[in-house]
Each structure stands twice: as C-alpha cells, then as structure tokens.
Amino acid sequence: MPPKQNPLKLNPLQLKTLTLLQELANDPETAMIDALTGDSTVSQFPHAHGNHFHLGRYVVSSADATGLGNEAVWKALERKGLARSFFPTAITLTQAGRDYDTGLRDQILHGSDH
C-alpha cells in the first residue's frame, strides 16, 4: 500500500509554509544543519519584491509564502513534531519536518529566469 499523503493532516497554508522552509533548510546561506540530528535551523528569510521573491534558484509567489510570517503556522508545525519555533527570528526543522512530503514542491517552486 502506498504511503498516505499528508498523514499529519496539515492544512494548505501549513503545507505551503513547510515546503518553503524545507527549501530554506537545505540552503547553507539561510540555514545551519546539525550533523548529528539532521535538524536544520533557518534564520534568514527571503524578502519579497513585487508579487514574488527568490528562494535559491526558484521564484515563489508572495501569496504562497504568507505562512513564513505567521506565528500560528510555526506553532502548528511545532505541535506536529516537524519544527521548533523561535518566532519570529528562527525555526528549526526536525529531520521529520525536512523529510515530510508536502506534495507541493512542483506547484509553488518555479524555475527562475533572472
């Protein structure tokens, strides 16, 4: 039987936010990875210009990123065991948070042309 999609029942905003945090957590310019645990602390967040922002080699719609500044979303991810919130300065994704399949990566991370 295939694994259940979204087993923790994250809502759409939580899923979008986790997708973006996963990308930030893998970038050495925005995060620090703990080699022992695999947890990754994100302490630098992108700034929008116009209706989008750049996330590494991707372009993301600002509308898909509202959860990055939403404390309730960070706390929900923490309750689900996917993160530890230090809102608003940093968030640590646990290994479970880094590995969680949101199913949204191809929908909200778009290749950059500039």
Side-chain angles (χ1 to χ4, degrees), residues 23-108:
E23 189 64 28
L24 288 166
N26 289 326
D27 186 340
E29 292 186 21
T30 57
M32 290 178 36
I33 298 173
D34 183 319
L36 295 177
T37 64
D39 294 356
S40 182
T41 301
V42 177
S43 59
Q44 296 201 24
F45 299 92
H47 298 284
H49 51 278
N51 63 354
H52 72 282
F53 64 91
H54 298 270
L55 184 59
R57 63 187 184 108
Y58 299 105
V59 175
V60 178
S61 168
S62 297
D64 288 330
T66 58
L68 289 177
N70 185 323
E71 184 175 13
V73 172
W74 289 29
K75 291 295 185 181
L77 295 175
E78 186 170 44
R79 281 192 308 276
K80 303 279 185 168
L82 302 173
R84 287 186 302 283
S85 172
F86 305 98
F87 188 84
T89 58
I91 187 167
T92 298
L93 286 189
T94 62
Q95 188 64 56
R98 294 182 69 202
D99 293 341
Y100 194 87
D101 182 7
T102 65
L104 296 179
R105 187 171 177 75
D106 292 336
Q107 294 174 33
I108 65 174

